[in-house]
Amino acid sequence: MNAPLTLREASCADDYDPNAMAVDRARILIRQFLSPVTATERVHIRAALNRVLAQQVVSPIAVPAHDNSAMDGWAVRFADLRTEGDTELKRVGESFAGKPHNGPIGPGETVRIFTGGIMPKGADSVVMQERATEIDGGVRVPAGALAKAGQNRRFAGEDLKQGQVVFALGQPVRPAELGMLASLGINEVDVYRKLRVAFFSTGDELKSIGTPLAEGQIYDSNRYTLYGMLSRLNCDIVDMGVVPDVPEELERAFADAAASADVVITSGGVSVGEADYVKQLLDKLGEVLFWKIAMKPGRPLAYGKIGGAHFFGLPGNPVAVMVTFYAFVRDALLVLSGRRDTGPMPTFKAVLSAPIRKAPGRTEFQRGILSPDGAGGWNVHTTGDQGSGILSSMSQANCFIVLPTQTGNIAAGEMVDVQLLEGLI
Ligand code: AMP
Ligand code: MG
């Protein structure tokens, strides 16, 4: 097995080119330094929503526990049914969900059964009530009401078998998992502790909301998009505010953030011109690599360790913050929080409905609007101006149009890759 790279080695890796790091390459390099949290806590399953299981779950029971009916109807013995003409069966009882019929049924007998009712012994199939006619003391079933034995019957353990591994370590707990845990009668699980993520914005021009703007100043919006994206990932959030481009203040902020969090995220200050003193600072405090990623938006990116904390230095432009977060930070946070099933966000193909201009050389994440084409497929077009400061493009978009590095201009009618933003933003 290859020993993991150190950060210094990563910066010297064969195909490492600080001026044109491919998106996938950067993601893979970052991944090598991520070790998931190990601390766990035991919580009620409701509190486990959006957390990650720190235990295997083995089914203590079978679900369902008994063979039961999938329909409202009549529990029958398939062999009793005539292949031509009607069959009349004698009603010997009822089986409701939670209130079974006691005892078996014999030849020529039936039990009125409702969805979830336990199958009486001897019965192997259920005739839907719509396919039969109730008669005095029983039911009349026409030929062909059942195609084969076993129809409309759910089998014990068909969802989960007793002793089966239901969830592996690292399983994210979503609504389906909550329901499954409840179906097994489990009310508490071990989950990994939440990731603690500290972030701040850098820039002399930035003001926090609630204060008036002087000329040339802008409101800090990155802390709010970051807050939103991190909240959706269920992280513990430490908002450290705005830090001006003053070396002593930045140094203190980096040190404080790293001391209090698993992950430190900043925006701004990593572009050419600003990067130099941030770089000097971070060289002093930890080991940080500055990359120029071959992507648009989001060219500058810093990644490294400050003490025990992972550090992501995102660009300042508001759209670039979101794009680099989804391209790099999200996946890293999922890995750190204990997920085992992570990877790049899935893409699918859609037809471009208006041409796109693009120069080869960078992977572009254009903001797109995906809409049904009326014939079962999907069309996509951009939101318009793709400037990296135009945050409204992220609000209008429902997808990224991902244009690979080598791609140039694209004509209308061509297929492009899209990544859905639904649920992410
Ligand atoms: P920088 O990467 O620091 O050079 O910033 C690039 C651009 O993004 C500049 O126009 C900044 O004013 C803007 N910017 C940086 N940080 C923020 C922020 N937190 N909120 C809004 N805009 C920002
Ligand atoms: Mg700046």
Side-chain angles (χ1 to χ4, degrees):
M1 221 178 82
N2 293 332
L5 287 177
T6 64
L7 273 165
R8 295 250 180 260
E9 283 163 352
S11 69
C12 304
D14 285 344
D15 54 353
Y16 170 80
D17 173 356
N19 290 313
M21 172 76 81
V23 174
D24 291 346
R25 177 75 185 141
R27 197 187 281 126
I28 290 165
L29 279 174
I30 291 170
R31 217 167 224 260
Q32 308 198 35
F33 304 103
L34 305 175
S35 30
V37 293
T38 52
T40 67
E41 53 185 321
R42 195 157 184 83
V43 296
H44 186 272
I45 59 169
R46 273 209 186 111
L49 183 61
N50 298 329
R51 305 285 293 269
V52 180
L53 285 183
Q55 65 164 94
Q56 203 183 46
V57 173
V58 175
S59 177
I61 54 171
V63 178
H66 305 276
D67 288 11
N68 67 82
S69 178
M71 298 280 173
D72 290 346
W74 302 85
V76 302
R77 302 152 53 101
F78 182 74
D80 284 352
L81 302 182
R82 296 156 52 117
T83 49
E84 280 167 34
D86 294 344
T87 308
E88 290 192 359
L89 299 169
K90 181 175 167 233
R91 175 177 181 149
V92 295
E94 296 80 39
S95 177
F96 299 92
K99 213 164 107 202
H101 168 74
N102 291 320
I105 66 169
E109 292 179 346
T110 183
V111 158
R112 180 76 168 113
I113 196 164
F114 298 90
T115 306
I118 293 181
M119 290 294 288
K121 276 209 176 51
D124 54 27
S125 317
V126 174
V127 175
M128 270 169 82
Q129 63 187 18
E130 293 81 355
R131 303 295 299 269
T133 312
E134 187 162 5
I135 55 173
D136 200 25
V139 68
R140 183 183 305 126
V141 182
L146 286 178
K148 57 179 177 15
Q151 259 188 306
N152 303 327
R153 166 180 170 192
R154 301 171 181 155
F155 291 88
E158 74 174 15
D159 187 359
L160 304 168
K161 295 186 176 42
Q162 187 175 6
Q164 174 188 340
V165 175
V166 179
F167 298 129
L169 222 69
Q171 167 74 42
V173 182
R174 300 161 302 179
E177 285 74 29
L178 284 189
M180 285 172 69
L181 289 166
S183 78
L184 294 171
I186 293 173
N187 54 14
E188 286 189 338
V189 283
D190 290 328
V191 293
Y192 291 112
R193 74 166 171 81
K194 286 188 183 184
L195 273 188
R196 206 169 154 78
V197 182
F199 59 89
F200 58 88
S201 297
T202 71
D204 288 335
E205 75 282 25
L206 302 177
K207 288 294 247 183
S208 290
I209 52 176
T211 49
L213 292 182
E215 200 179 319
Q217 294 182 326
I218 57 171
Y219 284 119
D220 170 11
S221 59
N222 290 342
R223 264 164 56 230
Y224 290 87
T225 45
L226 279 172
Y227 170 84
M229 295 186 291
L230 291 166
S231 296
R232 288 210 159 177
L233 292 175
N234 206 14
C235 299
D236 270 341
I237 292 166
V238 187
D239 181 346
M240 299 183 56
V242 173
V243 180
D245 296 315
V246 175
E248 299 73 47
E249 293 197 39
L250 280 170
E251 178 168 352
R252 195 172 334 117
F254 279 120
D256 286 352
S260 70
D262 302 300
V263 179
V264 177
I265 302 175
T266 62
S267 69
V270 290
S271 53
V272 181
E274 287 190 310
D276 292 351
Y277 69 91
V278 176
K279 203 167 176 172
Q280 279 172 19
L281 261 178
L282 290 171
D283 275 343
K284 199 163 114 189
L285 295 170
E287 260 189 300
V288 175
L289 303 173
F290 283 73
W291 287 325
K292 287 198 179 68
I293 309 281
M295 73 188 284
K296 189 178 172 185
R299 200 173 173 81
L301 180 81
Y303 168 73
K305 297 289 290 273
I306 306 174
H310 294 271
F311 167 65
F312 291 90
L314 307 184
N317 277 307
V319 180
V321 166
M322 297 194 78
V323 170
T324 49
F325 186 94
Y326 289 129
F328 304 108
V329 185
R330 178 176 180 272
D331 181 55
L333 295 179
L334 294 177
V335 171
L336 289 172
S337 62
R339 289 271 291 262
R340 309 272 168 105
D341 60 340
T342 63
M345 298 189 329
T347 58
F348 71 93
K349 301 271 184 203
V351 178
L352 193 62
S353 54
I356 290 182
R357 292 177 61 79
K358 176 186 182 289
R362 296 207 250 166
T363 301
E364 291 196 11
F365 294 82
Q366 299 212 359
R367 275 71 68 209
I369 299 172
L370 199 56
S371 50
D373 68 1
W378 292 85
N379 284 332
V380 68
H381 60 92
T382 71
T383 55
D385 197 339
Q386 295 291 306
S388 63
I390 300 179
L391 192 54
S392 55
S393 69
M394 279 302 297
S395 170
Q396 287 160 23
N398 59 9
C399 69
F400 286 135
I401 303 173
V402 186
L403 305 171
T405 312
Q406 309 310 334
T407 308
N409 293 340
I410 311 171
E414 285 192 44
M415 301 289 270
V416 288
D417 287 327
V418 296
Q419 260 171 2
L420 284 184
L421 296 178
E422 181 58 36
L424 294 175
I425 61 168

